[in-house]
Amino acid sequence: MSTRISIIGCGIIGATIAYELSRSTNECQIDVYDSQPPAQAATGAALGVLMGIISQKIKGRAWNFRRDSICRYQTLIPELEQATGSKIPVNSQGIVKLLPPEEDLSKWTQLANTRHEQEWKLELWNTRQTLANLPQIDRQFRGTAVYSPQDLQVDPVALTTALVAAAKLNGVNFHFDRPLESIEAENPDCCELLSANLPNITSDRVIITAGLGATSLLAPHAPIEIQPVLGQAVQIRLAQPLGNPAFQPVIVSEDVNIVPCGGNDYWVGATVEFPVEGVMVADPVCLELLDKIAISTCPDLAKGEIVRTWQGLRPRPNHRPAPVIDRVGKNQRILVATGHYRNGILLAPATARIIGDMLLV
């Protein structure tokens, strides 16, 4: 009899786990449950900027996660495109992080040397090089820049949709509009997934990837609290591309991402807004500051038309580092992979690998 694996949540994490498990075994029945269609929550609001190599993490869990995910993305995206016949929008021209004149460059020089030893690329640009390579930035810029040519940006919704389609081809069953209220794990041999007015679901293993929805599901099994952090973003349409049309990297300035997303459109985001007295409301002042930083970085953005504004809630663990990947419950049949905060898209492949390894034990 095949092992029954139930995945709760079909954002980027749940979809990646489902796909990777479907590739690695044909001895499991894999079902994915969500109360809504895929990529509707944090995934749907993400910008898909994969800051792996440019991250200042150089060792340990945090660096291993980033390295493994960037490596897997190099094969995963073409693999999904071939399987599904669909094109996934990807920007492979890297990420440029602008640094102010007062920045201590020694840490970046050391990071570039470390990346070289790790067989990755990271370039440091002086002011002249930065202005020459990025004609779209303010001509009064007097800082420097770090360029990571091997980091990526990917459309999160298109990626998740492709993962779901490819997983279906491999036999994964998806059940949308199926909210689950609780998990019973008293039986040492299995778990029971409960939902209102519907039959219980029996499963050998349960993987909770539900982001903010994980807190209530985990409450009887583990004290893991996931806090919402709101992010706002805008899409700006210009008459022509910024700067050099042939070189359109993601530009990061003061933690604001300016993301080319095809044609003459750019995503700008995202704010970081915490609840105030337990209430989560988008602050228009934060969005105004976001626009101000973006326009001060690339002045021609002021000539564009805002065609879309959106927001989303990121799942951030309280009192523990992100993400949370662990076993919970008395019978240890419940696994959790959630709380990726601002790095869900980046860390999805590494998370799927770790969950796969945990299922083998």
Side-chain angles (χ1 to χ4, degrees):
M1 183 175 179
S2 63
T3 300
R4 296 158 298 179
I5 298 175
S6 296
I7 301 171
I8 303 176
C10 195
I12 185 65
I13 302 299
T16 306
I17 291 172
Y19 172 69
E20 295 287 33
L21 289 180
S22 73
R23 290 180 63 253
S24 61
T25 179
N26 55 9
E27 300 177 356
C28 295
Q29 175 187 322
I30 304 171
D31 291 270
V32 182
Y33 300 90
D34 204 313
S35 60
Q36 54 191 344
Q40 295 297 301
T43 299
L47 300 182
V49 179
L50 310 182
M51 294 188 185
I53 312 308
I54 205 170
S55 164
Q56 291 189 317
K57 309 295 184 181
I58 60 173
K59 61 181 179 180
R61 177 179 185 256
W63 162 241
N64 292 339
F65 268 33
R66 286 163 171 78
R67 178 201 61 207
D68 293 351
S69 284
I70 292 295
C71 287
R72 177 59 177 133
Y73 269 122
Q74 293 174 350
T75 58
L76 176 61
I77 292 171
E79 186 178 298
L80 292 172
E81 290 180 333
Q82 182 175 4
T84 64
S86 300
K87 187 68 176 176
I88 301 171
V90 178
N91 186 338
S92 301
Q93 295 191 318
I95 297 173
V96 178
K97 181 177 178 63
L98 301 180
L99 306 176
E102 66 273 13
E103 182 80 11
D104 178 8
L105 296 182
S106 62
K107 62 180 181 181
W108 291 104
T109 301
Q110 183 177 356
L111 179 64
N113 292 336
T114 299
R115 292 291 183 253
H116 178 74
E117 294 170 359
Q118 296 169 333
E119 300 184 345
W120 295 97
K121 297 177 182 177
L122 202 63
E123 301 176 12
L124 299 182
W125 294 346
N126 60 30
T127 302
R128 179 184 57 78
Q129 291 171 312
T130 304
L131 291 170
N133 291 327
L134 301 175
Q136 64 265 53
I137 69 172
D138 182 12
R139 295 294 90 187
Q140 300 304 311
F141 178 77
R142 292 297 177 265
T144 55
V146 181
Y147 175 49
S148 178
Q150 293 169 301
D151 282 328
L152 306 169
Q153 185 273 333
V154 60
D155 185 307
V157 175
L159 173 61
T160 305
T161 301
L163 285 162
V164 170
K168 284 182 178 179
L169 293 173
N170 292 344
V172 176
N173 305 304
F174 289 85
H175 310 269
F176 300 118
D177 300 317
R178 181 68 188 269
L180 299 174
E181 295 183 341
S182 62
I183 303 169
E184 296 289 344
E186 298 300 322
N187 188 329
D189 298 321
C190 65
C191 296
E192 294 284 336
L193 280 61
L194 283 63
S195 58
N197 304 318
L198 291 169
N200 294 350
I201 302 162
T202 301
S203 186
D204 295 301
R205 297 286 189 276
V206 177
I207 306 168
I208 300 175
T209 71
L212 292 170
T215 298
S216 59
L217 291 170
L218 287 167
H221 311 286
I224 298 174
E225 182 180 351
I226 308 297
Q227 177 189 40
V229 179
L230 188 141
Q232 300 185 73
V234 298
Q235 181 174 344
I236 299 175
R237 182 161 298 160
L238 298 168
Q240 59 187 22
L242 292 172
N244 178 3
F247 183 55
Q248 293 282 299
V250 174
I251 297 176
V252 182
S253 177
E254 298 183 50
D255 204 30
V256 170
N257 299 316
I258 301 170
V259 182
C261 52
N264 301 333
D265 284 13
Y266 294 81
W267 291 344
V268 176
T271 64
V272 177
E273 304 173 48
F274 290 86
V276 178
E277 297 181 353
V279 179
M280 191 77 264
V281 179
D283 186 346
V285 174
C286 292
L287 193 59
E288 290 172 6
L289 178 60
L290 182 84
D291 291 340
K292 181 179 179 181
I293 294 173
I295 291 171
S296 67
T297 302
C298 296
D300 282 348
L301 286 173
K303 303 175 183 177
E305 173 193 6
I306 295 178
V307 296
R308 183 167 67 114
T309 300
W310 73 99
Q311 60 184 255
L313 298 176
R314 311 174 184 103
R316 178 181 182 269
N318 275 347
H319 314 300
R320 61 188 298 169
V324 179
I325 304 176
D326 205 351
R327 298 179 187 273
V328 299
K330 294 179 180 178
N331 64 17
Q332 297 289 284
R333 291 178 178 271
I334 302 174
L335 283 68
V336 58
T338 189
H340 289 71
Y341 191 27
R342 302 178 72 184
N343 289 308
I345 314 301
L346 170 61
L347 301 181
T351 300
R353 179 186 61 78
I354 293 169
I355 289 293
D357 291 344
M358 292 171 68
L359 289 172
L360 295 176
V361 179

